[in-house]
Structures are given as C-alpha cells and as structure tokens.
Amino acid sequence: EAQVTQNPRYLITVTGKKLTVTCSQNMNHEYMSWYRQDPGLGLRQIYYSMNVEVTDKGDVPEGYKVSRKEKRNFPLILESPSPNQTSLYFCASTTVGTGKNSPLHFGNGTRLTVT
Amino acid sequence: GNSVTQMEGPVTLSEEAFLTINCTYTATGYPSLFWYVQYPGEGLQLLLKATKADDKGSNKGFEATYRKETTSFHLEKGSVQVSDSAVYFCALSGGYQKVTFGTGTKLQVIP
C-alpha cells in the first residue's frame, strides 16, 4: 500500500530535550516536506526537500532541522524544543514529474507537546 | 506572494443539506487548485483538484470549479452525510511543489 508513515503519533517531551520525528514514504517520491498545523493558521511549511541531499527552508524553519540522506526518509529534528513548538506535525510527499499538478500525500500526523 | 482565503468555520448542517465552502485565492501565473479533507485523527487526503481555468474537479459527490475571473474555487455538495464531517482545506500550487493552504473549514453534519 502506498503510504507516508510518521512516527511517533504522539510525543510529550520537556523543553530542551532533543527529539526526532521520522517520516518514510514508499512511493519513490522525489519531493518531501514537513508542515505544522495550528488552530486558525492552517498548515505552514517548515522545510522541504526536492531530492536526496537537497533541502530548503519553508515559511517557519526556526528551531527545526532536517536531513535527506535517502530518498524514502525525511526526519524532522528539534535540537532544543520549546513550548511554542507544541503543534500537530505532518510529513508529505509527491512526485515532481507533473509539476504543480501533483497532489501531496500526507502521513497521519505527530502530535507534539513540549512542556 | 500566493495566498488562499476560505470561509471561517465551523459549519454545521443537517444531513442531506446543500454544502458550499467558499475559497478565493491570490496567485501569480496559473496555479493548480486543490481541496483536501482531514478526517479526525488522520492526515490530509486529496479530495479533488483542477489544473486550469474552467476545469471542474469532482469526487465523492463533491465538486469545485476553477474560476479564474473571480479567483475562486468553491467546494459544493448537493446532499451531505454525517460521514462528511471533517476539516476541509483549500490549497494552491504554483509550481516546484510550493503549496499554499487556507486555514481550513470544519464541517459538522448532524443527523
């Protein structure tokens, strides 16, 4: 089954404790991206990657890191989480072949709480 | 830059009522337009899309027409069901997979 898999689904942590949220897709998609969803703000892009070893900042990259060492994986790293990073996070992927016509495929989300 | 504006929710309807969720956009060039749906506890999934002016996207009884003259992409369904209760997001893609989302509209359908 074609899917984007995120782990964990729920995560509670304390300020300053490094964490990683994993994302993996099995559709051989070149493009992967991370979003955060907050009430009243919709989805905002954190980072994206057009292919292996190619990453770029989205609209709200501060406090986050990513890496793309393999095509299927795109982990999100919070090196020193703060309470304002409490949010619902989504990983998404798509092919670049059809350009702007390609819909995004989303994971089921990771709800992060930083105390 | 690009932007998407959709109507505030929540929208509460009785089963079998007619649904309209308004969406307007601002973009340079010729974006593609999408509606995504998010069911409780799940990620977003594509509901329908339209890639050029006057295209109509449709799926599961939902429809939306790409209106370039009014920069709109309103979502409609003739008869909603309880199972349609979800959050609906309008989005546009201007290329290079740069997708801009609206803030989402929560729909609640009551029996």
Side-chain angles (χ1 to χ4, degrees):
Chain A
E1 179 189 354
Q3 59 186 0
V4 178
T5 303
Q6 289 178 234
N7 281 296
R9 289 295 306 274
Y10 301 93
L11 181 56
I12 301 173
T13 189
V14 296
T15 299
K17 186 175 181 181
K18 181 178 179 179
L19 65 91
T20 299
V21 183
T22 63
C23 175
S24 180
Q25 50 91 9
N26 63 1
M27 294 168 280
N28 201 36
H29 286 163
E30 301 87 353
Y31 179 91
M32 298 185 74
S33 181
W34 278 102
Y35 296 87
R36 60 179 288 174
Q37 182 181 10
D38 300 290
L41 297 176
L43 273 76
R44 294 179 293 168
Q45 189 178 48
I46 302 170
Y47 269 95
Y48 65 96
S49 170
M50 296 293 288
N51 214 324
V52 175
E53 302 291 0
V54 180
T55 63
D56 209 346
K57 296 177 180 178
D59 300 317
V60 289
E62 293 77 19
Y64 304 94
K65 283 178 58 176
V66 292
S67 69
R68 188 89 181 274
K69 292 183 169 57
E70 304 165 284
K71 196 172 186 179
R72 65 185 292 123
N73 296 324
F74 191 46
L76 179 70
I77 303 156
L78 285 71
E79 297 220 325
S80 184
S82 62
N84 65 11
Q85 293 178 298
T86 292
S87 186
L88 180 58
Y89 291 86
F90 288 101
C91 180
S93 72
T94 190
T95 179
V96 301
T98 49
K100 62 184 174 70
N101 299 335
S102 304
L104 290 166
H105 299 257
F106 285 85
N108 280 336
T110 296
R111 185 166 291 283
L112 172 65
T113 302
V114 184
T115 60
Chain B
N2 297 339
S3 67
V4 174
T5 302
Q6 60 182 107
M7 62 189 288
E8 294 280 336
V11 174
T12 302
L13 295 173
S14 297
E15 207 166 20
E16 299 184 2
F18 185 87
L19 168 71
T20 300
I21 300 178
N22 291 335
C23 172
T24 57
Y25 68 90
T26 302
T28 55
Y30 303 93
S32 292
L33 302 175
F34 303 84
W35 278 101
Y36 289 88
V37 58
Q38 183 182 30
Y39 298 106
E42 298 183 11
L44 282 71
Q45 56 186 272
L46 177 68
L47 180 60
L48 54 84
K49 72 176 185 180
T51 59
K52 61 183 187 295
D54 299 325
D55 265 3
K56 177 186 284 189
S58 61
N59 186 24
K60 299 181 181 179
F62 291 89
E63 293 183 340
T65 301
Y66 188 167
R67 302 284 188 201
K68 192 163 178 64
E69 65 275 13
T70 55
T71 61
S72 65
F73 193 54
H74 305 320
L75 182 68
E76 297 181 334
K77 186 175 186 184
S79 175
V80 294
Q81 306 300 312
V82 172
S83 57
D84 294 326
S85 298
V87 181
Y88 293 82
F89 289 90
C90 185
L92 72 82
S93 175
Y96 296 102
Q97 285 68 41
K98 176 57 178 174
V99 181
T100 302
F101 290 89
T103 53
T105 301
K106 184 174 182 179
L107 170 66
Q108 182 178 13
V109 180
I110 54 178

